[in-house]
């Protein structure tokens, strides 16, 4: 008899063990010659050497299944133990699966263009109004690359527009002060990665979330780097960020030109970058619009109403100037 310890890396063990350890009980029944004890993400196995080898292979197949789909069912477990292949290929177009087992995939033509641009270019600008999924889809692409081990880390950043004295008045240390600006990025990550694994990745700096000011002086290699809300960067800030790019890295820069919160006399760094870099080889620009909004239907109506109002203001000003 031999004993082995198997560590379940990169997945939430609760998904494999099942609700109330139902999957684990099923696995025990399928391997009656083994004594199987699971604690946290470690499975301790004692028993017959021949069955132990089969068990290790099957558990690894189950782990890969959970890593890819964030779920596993009793039928999947049975198929794996019987030596049959489960559906281990993602359906066409799916980037990753959420923790709820829902597929994250492009839901419009422009979103598909964003995925295609990411696959062919090292730097992608994704510009469009609120609700077009540009940030969420970008993070999904980064999580996919991390799971497939084509990169070593994900770096997410946002400008903290009120980073002057207003930020100083907020309670807590620096992390507490900047977290409100970064919450949308946390939300997307929590939707796609197990909570315990996400926490571990952040502690080990595999996933890094920081305000734009923290990027100065760094070289970002073997990473996917996402800058969100780039319309609120100054020209100097965005130039600094773009030149942080290192070997084996990709950058996605997202922004909404209708939501610039910079002082009126300050030009948006995103606007300048799009003017200067649009035709540079290796850089792709994807412009999403109202048709790509995937939030509540009211969001589309709100965006339309504001755009109509802005156009009317321009027309009114032109009429006044003519008179």
């Amino acid at each position: 008899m031999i004993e082995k310890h198997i560590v379940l890396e990169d997945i939430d063990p609760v998904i494999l063990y099942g609700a109330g350890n139902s999957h684990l009980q099923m696995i025990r029944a399928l391997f009656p010659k083994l004594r199987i004890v699971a604690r946290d993400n470690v499975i301790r196995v004692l028993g017959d050497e021949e069955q132990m080898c089969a068990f290790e292979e099957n558990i690894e197949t189950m782990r890969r299944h959970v890593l890819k789909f964030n779920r596993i069912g009793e039928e999947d477990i049975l198929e794996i133990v019987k030596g049959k292949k489960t559906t281990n290929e993602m359906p066409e177009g799916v980037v990753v699966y959420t923790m709820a087992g829902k597929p994250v995939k492009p839901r419009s033509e422009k979103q598909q263009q964003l995925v295609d641009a990411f696959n062919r270019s090292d730097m992608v600008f994704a510009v469009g109004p609120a609700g077009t999924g540009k940030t969420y889809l970008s993070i999904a692409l980064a999580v996919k690359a991390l799971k497939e081990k084509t990169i070593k880390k994900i770096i997410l950043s946002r400008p903290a527009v009120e980073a002057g004295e207003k930020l100083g008045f907020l309670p807590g240390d620096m992390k507490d002060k900047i977290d409100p600006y970064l919450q949308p990025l946390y939300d997307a990550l929590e939707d796609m990665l197990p909570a315990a694994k996400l926490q571990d990745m952040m502690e080990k700096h595999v996933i890094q979330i920081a305000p734009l000011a923290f990027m100065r002086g760094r070289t970002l290699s073997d990473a996917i780097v996402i800058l969100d809300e780039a319309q609120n960067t100054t020209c100097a800030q965005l130039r600094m960020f773009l030149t942080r790019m290192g070997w084996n890295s990709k950058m996605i820069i997202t922004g909404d030109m209708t939501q610039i919160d910079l002082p009126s006399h300050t030009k948006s760094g995103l606007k300048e970058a799009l003017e200067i870099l649009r035709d540079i080889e290796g850089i792709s620009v994807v412009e999403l619009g109202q048709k790509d909004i995937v939030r509540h239907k009211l969001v589309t109506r709100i965006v339309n109403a504001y755009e109509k109002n802005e156009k009317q203001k321009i027309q009114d000003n032109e009429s006044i100037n003519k008179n």
Side-chain angles (χ1 to χ4, degrees), residues 11 33 41 85 98 114 121 127-128 135-136 138 163 169-170 183 217 251 257 295 311:
I11 68 168
K33 294 182 181 180
N41 68 330
K85 289 187 176 180
T98 68
L114 172 54
S121 302
V127 185
T135 300
Y136 192 83
S138 297
F169 285 112
L170 293 173
Q183 192 57 49
M251 281 188 168
M257 298 308 297
R295 291 181 185 168
K311 289 178 181 177

PDB file of all heavy atoms in Angstrom, residues 11 33 41 85 98 114 121 127-128 135-136 138 163 169-170 183 217 251 257 295 311:
ATOM      1  N   ILE A  11      -7.800  25.767  -9.018  1.00  0.00           N
ATOM      2  CA  ILE A  11      -9.257  25.617  -9.029  1.00  0.00           C
ATOM      3  C   ILE A  11      -9.822  25.749  -7.617  1.00  0.00           C
ATOM      4  O   ILE A  11      -9.097  25.639  -6.629  1.00  0.00           O
ATOM      5  CB  ILE A  11      -9.696  24.257  -9.618  1.00  0.00           C
ATOM      6  CG1 ILE A  11      -9.280  23.099  -8.697  1.00  0.00           C
ATOM      7  CG2 ILE A  11      -9.154  24.065 -11.023  1.00  0.00           C
ATOM      8  CD1 ILE A  11      -9.918  21.771  -9.051  1.00  0.00           C
ATOM      9  N   LYS A  33     -10.939   0.564  -3.568  1.00  0.00           N
ATOM     10  CA  LYS A  33      -9.703   0.054  -2.978  1.00  0.00           C
ATOM     11  C   LYS A  33      -8.827   1.159  -2.388  1.00  0.00           C
ATOM     12  O   LYS A  33      -7.743   0.886  -1.865  1.00  0.00           O
ATOM     13  CB  LYS A  33      -8.893  -0.714  -4.030  1.00  0.00           C
ATOM     14  CG  LYS A  33      -9.576  -1.986  -4.514  1.00  0.00           C
ATOM     15  CD  LYS A  33      -8.699  -2.705  -5.515  1.00  0.00           C
ATOM     16  CE  LYS A  33      -9.376  -3.976  -6.039  1.00  0.00           C
ATOM     17  NZ  LYS A  33      -8.525  -4.680  -7.027  1.00  0.00           N
ATOM     18  N   ASN A  41      -7.541  22.104  -0.386  1.00  0.00           N
ATOM     19  CA  ASN A  41      -7.228  21.732  -1.772  1.00  0.00           C
ATOM     20  C   ASN A  41      -6.253  20.550  -1.853  1.00  0.00           C
ATOM     21  O   ASN A  41      -5.620  20.329  -2.879  1.00  0.00           O
ATOM     22  CB  ASN A  41      -6.641  22.935  -2.524  1.00  0.00           C
ATOM     23  CG  ASN A  41      -5.268  23.320  -2.010  1.00  0.00           C
ATOM     24  OD1 ASN A  41      -4.967  23.123  -0.833  1.00  0.00           O
ATOM     25  ND2 ASN A  41      -4.448  23.870  -2.883  1.00  0.00           N
ATOM     26  N   LYS A  85     -14.043  10.458 -23.236  1.00  0.00           N
ATOM     27  CA  LYS A  85     -13.735  11.873 -23.304  1.00  0.00           C
ATOM     28  C   LYS A  85     -14.975  12.707 -22.991  1.00  0.00           C
ATOM     29  O   LYS A  85     -16.045  12.464 -23.535  1.00  0.00           O
ATOM     30  CB  LYS A  85     -13.196  12.256 -24.688  1.00  0.00           C
ATOM     31  CG  LYS A  85     -11.796  11.732 -24.961  1.00  0.00           C
ATOM     32  CD  LYS A  85     -11.264  12.285 -26.263  1.00  0.00           C
ATOM     33  CE  LYS A  85      -9.828  11.834 -26.499  1.00  0.00           C
ATOM     34  NZ  LYS A  85      -9.292  12.380 -27.771  1.00  0.00           N
ATOM     35  N   THR A  98     -17.685  31.824 -16.276  1.00  0.00           N
ATOM     36  CA  THR A  98     -17.747  32.492 -14.980  1.00  0.00           C
ATOM     37  C   THR A  98     -17.827  31.450 -13.870  1.00  0.00           C
ATOM     38  O   THR A  98     -17.995  30.258 -14.125  1.00  0.00           O
ATOM     39  CB  THR A  98     -18.986  33.406 -14.878  1.00  0.00           C
ATOM     40  OG1 THR A  98     -20.175  32.574 -14.859  1.00  0.00           O
ATOM     41  CG2 THR A  98     -19.059  34.364 -16.048  1.00  0.00           C
ATOM     42  N   LEU A 114     -12.952  42.998 -31.048  1.00  0.00           N
ATOM     43  CA  LEU A 114     -12.022  43.193 -29.929  1.00  0.00           C
ATOM     44  C   LEU A 114     -11.237  41.908 -29.660  1.00  0.00           C
ATOM     45  O   LEU A 114     -10.016  41.938 -29.476  1.00  0.00           O
ATOM     46  CB  LEU A 114     -12.792  43.626 -28.683  1.00  0.00           C
ATOM     47  CG  LEU A 114     -12.000  43.704 -27.359  1.00  0.00           C
ATOM     48  CD1 LEU A 114     -10.775  44.588 -27.502  1.00  0.00           C
ATOM     49  CD2 LEU A 114     -12.902  44.218 -26.238  1.00  0.00           C
ATOM     50  N   SER A 121      -2.836  41.490 -32.348  1.00  0.00           N
ATOM     51  CA  SER A 121      -2.042  42.683 -32.031  1.00  0.00           C
ATOM     52  C   SER A 121      -1.544  42.640 -30.595  1.00  0.00           C
ATOM     53  O   SER A 121      -2.195  42.079 -29.712  1.00  0.00           O
ATOM     54  CB  SER A 121      -2.868  43.955 -32.243  1.00  0.00           C
ATOM     55  OG  SER A 121      -3.336  44.040 -33.573  1.00  0.00           O
ATOM     56  N   VAL A 127     -12.504  51.474 -27.497  1.00  0.00           N
ATOM     57  CA  VAL A 127     -13.152  52.736 -27.142  1.00  0.00           C
ATOM     58  C   VAL A 127     -14.649  52.633 -27.388  1.00  0.00           C
ATOM     59  O   VAL A 127     -15.083  52.159 -28.448  1.00  0.00           O
ATOM     60  CB  VAL A 127     -12.563  53.901 -27.970  1.00  0.00           C
ATOM     61  CG1 VAL A 127     -13.148  55.227 -27.519  1.00  0.00           C
ATOM     62  CG2 VAL A 127     -11.039  53.924 -27.854  1.00  0.00           C
ATOM     63  N   GLY A 128     -15.437  53.055 -26.406  1.00  0.00           N
ATOM     64  CA  GLY A 128     -16.881  52.998 -26.585  1.00  0.00           C
ATOM     65  C   GLY A 128     -17.615  53.420 -25.334  1.00  0.00           C
ATOM     66  O   GLY A 128     -17.021  53.571 -24.258  1.00  0.00           O
ATOM     67  N   THR A 135     -14.352  46.477 -20.882  1.00  0.00           N
ATOM     68  CA  THR A 135     -13.496  46.125 -19.742  1.00  0.00           C
ATOM     69  C   THR A 135     -13.678  44.667 -19.353  1.00  0.00           C
ATOM     70  O   THR A 135     -12.703  43.929 -19.159  1.00  0.00           O
ATOM     71  CB  THR A 135     -13.816  47.034 -18.541  1.00  0.00           C
ATOM     72  OG1 THR A 135     -13.588  48.393 -18.912  1.00  0.00           O
ATOM     73  CG2 THR A 135     -12.932  46.684 -17.343  1.00  0.00           C
ATOM     74  N   TYR A 136     -14.916  44.226 -19.244  1.00  0.00           N
ATOM     75  CA  TYR A 136     -15.217  42.857 -18.818  1.00  0.00           C
ATOM     76  C   TYR A 136     -14.625  41.843 -19.789  1.00  0.00           C
ATOM     77  O   TYR A 136     -13.988  40.867 -19.378  1.00  0.00           O
ATOM     78  CB  TYR A 136     -16.728  42.683 -18.719  1.00  0.00           C
ATOM     79  CG  TYR A 136     -17.170  41.414 -18.020  1.00  0.00           C
ATOM     80  CD1 TYR A 136     -17.230  41.356 -16.628  1.00  0.00           C
ATOM     81  CD2 TYR A 136     -17.528  40.284 -18.740  1.00  0.00           C
ATOM     82  CE1 TYR A 136     -17.628  40.207 -15.974  1.00  0.00           C
ATOM     83  CE2 TYR A 136     -17.934  39.121 -18.093  1.00  0.00           C
ATOM     84  CZ  TYR A 136     -17.986  39.087 -16.716  1.00  0.00           C
ATOM     85  OH  TYR A 136     -18.389  37.931 -16.078  1.00  0.00           O
ATOM     86  N   SER A 138     -12.162  42.338 -21.874  1.00  0.00           N
ATOM     87  CA  SER A 138     -10.698  42.441 -21.820  1.00  0.00           C
ATOM     88  C   SER A 138     -10.134  41.618 -20.666  1.00  0.00           C
ATOM     89  O   SER A 138      -9.126  40.906 -20.815  1.00  0.00           O
ATOM     90  CB  SER A 138     -10.273  43.905 -21.671  1.00  0.00           C
ATOM     91  OG  SER A 138     -10.666  44.664 -22.798  1.00  0.00           O
ATOM     92  N   ALA A 163      -6.970  62.220  -7.451  1.00  0.00           N
ATOM     93  CA  ALA A 163      -5.827  61.748  -6.667  1.00  0.00           C
ATOM     94  C   ALA A 163      -5.112  62.859  -5.909  1.00  0.00           C
ATOM     95  O   ALA A 163      -4.076  62.632  -5.304  1.00  0.00           O
ATOM     96  CB  ALA A 163      -4.828  61.040  -7.573  1.00  0.00           C
ATOM     97  N   PHE A 169      -8.437  62.896   1.973  1.00  0.00           N
ATOM     98  CA  PHE A 169      -9.468  62.991   2.993  1.00  0.00           C
ATOM     99  C   PHE A 169     -10.179  61.662   3.234  1.00  0.00           C
ATOM    100  O   PHE A 169     -10.889  61.510   4.218  1.00  0.00           O
ATOM    101  CB  PHE A 169     -10.507  64.051   2.615  1.00  0.00           C
ATOM    102  CG  PHE A 169     -10.006  65.459   2.814  1.00  0.00           C
ATOM    103  CD1 PHE A 169      -9.783  66.290   1.739  1.00  0.00           C
ATOM    104  CD2 PHE A 169      -9.733  65.935   4.083  1.00  0.00           C
ATOM    105  CE1 PHE A 169      -9.317  67.579   1.908  1.00  0.00           C
ATOM    106  CE2 PHE A 169      -9.264  67.223   4.272  1.00  0.00           C
ATOM    107  CZ  PHE A 169      -9.056  68.049   3.191  1.00  0.00           C
ATOM    108  N   LEU A 170      -9.995  60.678   2.317  1.00  0.00           N
ATOM    109  CA  LEU A 170     -10.640  59.389   2.506  1.00  0.00           C
ATOM    110  C   LEU A 170      -9.971  58.625   3.650  1.00  0.00           C
ATOM    111  O   LEU A 170      -8.768  58.747   3.860  1.00  0.00           O
ATOM    112  CB  LEU A 170     -10.544  58.553   1.219  1.00  0.00           C
ATOM    113  CG  LEU A 170     -11.341  59.086   0.030  1.00  0.00           C
ATOM    114  CD1 LEU A 170     -11.027  58.256  -1.215  1.00  0.00           C
ATOM    115  CD2 LEU A 170     -12.831  59.045   0.303  1.00  0.00           C
ATOM    116  N   GLN A 183     -12.659  49.106  -7.932  1.00  0.00           N
ATOM    117  CA  GLN A 183     -13.678  48.105  -7.639  1.00  0.00           C
ATOM    118  C   GLN A 183     -14.245  47.408  -8.875  1.00  0.00           C
ATOM    119  O   GLN A 183     -14.464  46.197  -8.859  1.00  0.00           O
ATOM    120  CB  GLN A 183     -14.819  48.720  -6.826  1.00  0.00           C
ATOM    121  CG  GLN A 183     -15.782  47.701  -6.233  1.00  0.00           C
ATOM    122  CD  GLN A 183     -15.091  46.689  -5.339  1.00  0.00           C
ATOM    123  OE1 GLN A 183     -14.314  47.062  -4.454  1.00  0.00           O
ATOM    124  NE2 GLN A 183     -15.334  45.411  -5.573  1.00  0.00           N
ATOM    125  N   GLY A 217       8.262  53.863 -13.915  1.00  0.00           N
ATOM    126  CA  GLY A 217       9.535  53.214 -13.641  1.00  0.00           C
ATOM    127  C   GLY A 217       9.545  51.714 -13.822  1.00  0.00           C
ATOM    128  O   GLY A 217      10.586  51.081 -13.710  1.00  0.00           O
ATOM    129  N   MET A 251      -1.075  44.765 -24.300  1.00  0.00           N
ATOM    130  CA  MET A 251      -1.767  45.841 -23.592  1.00  0.00           C
ATOM    131  C   MET A 251      -3.149  46.069 -24.201  1.00  0.00           C
ATOM    132  O   MET A 251      -3.298  46.044 -25.420  1.00  0.00           O
ATOM    133  CB  MET A 251      -0.976  47.147 -23.670  1.00  0.00           C
ATOM    134  CG  MET A 251       0.181  47.248 -22.707  1.00  0.00           C
ATOM    135  SD  MET A 251       0.905  48.924 -22.733  1.00  0.00           S
ATOM    136  CE  MET A 251       1.955  48.829 -21.272  1.00  0.00           C
ATOM    137  N   MET A 257     -14.872  58.186 -24.553  1.00  0.00           N
ATOM    138  CA  MET A 257     -14.574  59.595 -24.815  1.00  0.00           C
ATOM    139  C   MET A 257     -15.711  60.529 -24.412  1.00  0.00           C
ATOM    140  O   MET A 257     -15.548  61.746 -24.388  1.00  0.00           O
ATOM    141  CB  MET A 257     -14.246  59.798 -26.305  1.00  0.00           C
ATOM    142  CG  MET A 257     -13.014  59.031 -26.783  1.00  0.00           C
ATOM    143  SD  MET A 257     -11.531  59.309 -25.786  1.00  0.00           S
ATOM    144  CE  MET A 257     -11.282  61.050 -26.045  1.00  0.00           C
ATOM    145  N   ARG A 295     -25.752  45.836 -21.392  1.00  0.00           N
ATOM    146  CA  ARG A 295     -26.376  45.977 -20.086  1.00  0.00           C
ATOM    147  C   ARG A 295     -27.886  46.077 -20.262  1.00  0.00           C
ATOM    148  O   ARG A 295     -28.438  45.778 -21.301  1.00  0.00           O
ATOM    149  CB  ARG A 295     -25.826  47.214 -19.359  1.00  0.00           C
ATOM    150  CG  ARG A 295     -24.365  47.069 -18.939  1.00  0.00           C
ATOM    151  CD  ARG A 295     -23.886  48.308 -18.205  1.00  0.00           C
ATOM    152  NE  ARG A 295     -22.452  48.237 -17.907  1.00  0.00           N
ATOM    153  CZ  ARG A 295     -21.735  49.267 -17.477  1.00  0.00           C
ATOM    154  NH1 ARG A 295     -22.308  50.439 -17.301  1.00  0.00           N
ATOM    155  NH2 ARG A 295     -20.455  49.127 -17.222  1.00  0.00           N
ATOM    156  N   LYS A 311     -25.793  66.790 -29.254  1.00  0.00           N
ATOM    157  CA  LYS A 311     -25.917  67.275 -30.631  1.00  0.00           C
ATOM    158  C   LYS A 311     -26.779  68.524 -30.700  1.00  0.00           C
ATOM    159  O   LYS A 311     -26.485  69.463 -31.454  1.00  0.00           O
ATOM    160  CB  LYS A 311     -26.500  66.176 -31.520  1.00  0.00           C
ATOM    161  CG  LYS A 311     -25.543  65.027 -31.791  1.00  0.00           C
ATOM    162  CD  LYS A 311     -26.194  63.942 -32.639  1.00  0.00           C
ATOM    163  CE  LYS A 311     -25.243  62.778 -32.879  1.00  0.00           C
ATOM    164  NZ  LYS A 311     -25.880  61.680 -33.655  1.00  0.00           N
TER     165      LYS A 311
END
